[in-house]
Amino acid sequence: MKKRFESPQCETCGSRENSILCDLSHSGVLQIDGSKNTNSYKRGQIIFYEGNRPSGLFCIFKGKVKIYKSSESGREHIVRLAKNGDVLGYRALLSGELYSATAEALEETVLCHIPQATFLQILAEDHQLMNRLMQLLTHDLREAEERMVELSQLPVRERLAQTLLMLNSTFGTADDGATLDIQLTREDLANIVGTATESCIRLLSEFRKEGLVQLNGKKIAITDKQALIRLANVVD
Amino acid sequence: MTMAVEHRALTDGLSYAARLRQGLTLLLDGSESVRFEPGAALYRENDAGEAIYLLENGVVKQIRSCRGGECIVGLSNRGEFLGIRDVMLFAQYSSGAVAIGPVDALRIEREEFREFLQQNPSLQLTIFGMLSRSIEDVESKLVSISTKSARRRVAWALLKLRKALLSDYTVEPRLAVSDISALSTCADGTLVKLLRDFERRSLIKRSDVGIEVLDESGLRRVSGEY
């Protein structure tokens, strides 16, 4: 079957600049290029499931991915969002454990899959890569703890404001400088904030009335960032 | 040992902390043991990350401050390590570590630890696995906070803290209300109401010295474990 896109070459991949693989040696780049598979995922398509065994490392060439855990009742809680250059599944791969969460494409997404053996071989020869992975891991741990504290201590209104600012800093904005460059359903947004979808919709409507945001379907534009920062109680 | 072989070894029975203790034996043998009285801080949030600790005895809570309150982000027992992540990053401690009961801990200075890791790079994978497991714990708690009722979270917190303390004390531990509050991440008013209800149902008994668990099975049912 013919692919609908050209497989990216690691050497010229623009997304690699933002990746933990940015400083990889020339031989490492060639090794990955020779063994990786590239696939396209439609919006809503699952990349891997919680509880499955990892077979390699995923690297996002293009697109956005949500990583979520499911509660006993089946409700999703989004623990992380990923974009171009981010890697997926590195924790399970290196600790030899099963995926602790599910990854799903939020839009048309192109992913490169680096086989486990190739990645571990490169890792064994490149101590800087191990250091960068360790930094990524500790960063993720710190973020998870911060989110836990926020979730337990902050009112939903502040958490929603913080989430909108996080989406702004992570994914940036469209050409108008205000519209977030990520389109999430209200349910997804609620699953990041950790609240009911109805509460999320009500609060977004309040934000709109207060002139903090403009809403156009799934598109959200931040119209008064400073006021949102004050509301979120964060330092710009 | 190559990284690939080491990686396979990681899936064998021992816990990450146990593997790290094995790997650090030489370093631990020469380390100083420090005694911390109940309530004493091994280190505080935002202190410079100057040392890691291995708990020899006792239970330590890891706390993060938020708006004058505190949130317990983890509980550690005998045999577990503290402070590794911050020391690895040359960062400040991102959470404080406070002794719940009397604690004895081996202290390893940052430079000694990092130098030892450089000489033994395969240990990095063990540390990686250990930190990875910590993220999973925190993320599971995130899901719990956002999806479970306060009643279930308080029951879970009572069981969790009791289990941590039971491994160190021979008598039934008395649990501090402030620790249950910080662990369950439940508003004070709601917590008081729920504890009163749990006592009325003979699941717990409250006194000046703390909370005693009377009916573990009953609490498990409330927490949703059964």
Side-chain angles (χ1 to χ4, degrees), chain B residues 26-42:
Chain B
L26 283 174
L27 199 55
L28 292 169
D29 283 348
S31 299
E32 168 199 11
S33 182
V34 189
R35 163 54 73 102
F36 296 91
E37 297 305 326
L42 283 73

Side-chain angles (χ1 to χ4, degrees), chain A residues 120-131:
Chain A
L120 291 178
Q121 195 181 342
I122 293 169
L123 193 61
E125 293 159 5
D126 186 344
H127 294 301
Q128 289 308 314
L129 179 58
M130 188 65 203
N131 288 341

Side-chain angles (χ1 to χ4, degrees), chain B residues 84-157:
Chain B
I84 285 188
R85 148 194 46 175
D86 308 301
V87 162
M88 296 285 291
L89 285 182
F90 287 102
Q92 296 169 319
Y93 292 115
S94 55
S95 55
V98 174
I100 292 185
V103 164
D104 295 304
L106 290 176
R107 179 184 161 104
I108 305 172
E109 300 303 322
R110 178 179 64 194
E111 296 313 323
E112 274 181 87
F113 177 64
R114 289 187 63 95
E115 202 178 305
F116 194 84
L117 278 189
Q118 273 182 353
Q119 291 159 9
N120 302 272
S122 63
L123 280 179
Q124 284 198 337
L125 264 185
T126 309
I127 293 173
F128 195 96
M130 199 163 68
L131 295 178
S132 180
R133 184 63 63 78
S134 302
I135 297 188
E136 278 177 48
D137 290 346
V138 174
E139 287 179 347
S140 296
K141 201 172 169 200
L142 266 170
V143 176
S144 163
I145 293 170
S146 65
T147 58
K148 285 187 182 170
S149 66
R151 174 177 292 274
R152 287 178 72 172
R153 294 203 318 263
V154 169
W156 169 85

Side-chain angles (χ1 to χ4, degrees), chain B residues 148-188:
Chain B
K148 285 187 182 170
S149 66
R151 174 177 292 274
R152 287 178 72 172
R153 294 203 318 263
V154 169
W156 169 85
L158 286 162
L159 291 166
K160 172 102 176 165
L161 189 58
R162 176 176 178 265
K163 187 180 170 193
L165 293 173
L166 264 181
S167 63
D168 262 75
Y169 306 134
T170 47
V171 293
E172 181 66 31
R174 299 295 189 271
L175 315 176
V177 176
S178 57
D179 286 339
I180 296 301
S181 166
L183 193 58
S184 64
T185 57
C186 180
D188 289 349

Side-chain angles (χ1 to χ4, degrees), chain A residues 69-72 75 77 79 90-91 93-97 100 116 120 123-124 127 130-131 133-135 137-138 140-142 144-149 151-155 158 194 233, chain B residues 3 7 10-11 16 64-67 70-73 85-86 88-89 91-92 94 121 124-125 127-129 131-136 138-143 145-148 152 185:
Chain A
K69 288 176 85 80
S70 300
S71 69
E72 293 154 17
R75 197 185 137 185
H77 184 88
V79 291
Y90 73 99
R91 274 163 37 199
L93 187 66
L94 287 185
S95 56
E97 298 194 350
S100 62
Q116 180 170 7
L120 291 178
L123 193 61
H127 294 301
M130 188 65 203
N131 288 341
L133 279 166
M134 195 65 87
Q135 282 178 0
L137 182 74
T138 50
D140 284 353
L141 178 54
R142 190 173 281 228
E145 285 182 355
E146 275 166 12
R147 282 199 63 202
M148 186 170 77
V149 174
L151 195 56
S152 59
Q153 305 274 335
L154 301 185
E158 287 181 30
N233 266 311
Chain B
M3 191 74 80
H7 180 262
L10 279 178
T11 56
Y16 291 112
R64 289 184 77 136
S65 55
C66 184
R67 302 193 163 192
E70 67 178 38
C71 174
I72 296 182
V73 293
R85 148 194 46 175
D86 308 301
M88 296 285 291
L89 285 182
Q92 296 169 319
S94 55
Q124 284 198 337
L125 264 185
I127 293 173
F128 195 96
L131 295 178
S132 180
R133 184 63 63 78
S134 302
I135 297 188
E136 278 177 48
V138 174
E139 287 179 347
S140 296
K141 201 172 169 200
L142 266 170
V143 176
I145 293 170
S146 65
T147 58
K148 285 187 182 170
R152 287 178 72 172
T185 57

Side-chain angles (χ1 to χ4, degrees), chain A residues 15-16 41 49 53 62 74 78 87 108 135 147 152 161 163 170 178 184 197-198 208 220:
Chain A
S15 297
R16 193 161 66 88
Y41 294 79
Y49 285 96
R53 194 168 296 284
K62 186 169 80 74
I78 297 177
V87 290
E108 178 90 17
Q135 282 178 0
R147 282 199 63 202
S152 59
T163 301
T170 307
L184 295 167
T197 309
E198 297 77 13
R208 182 180 55 78
I220 300 174

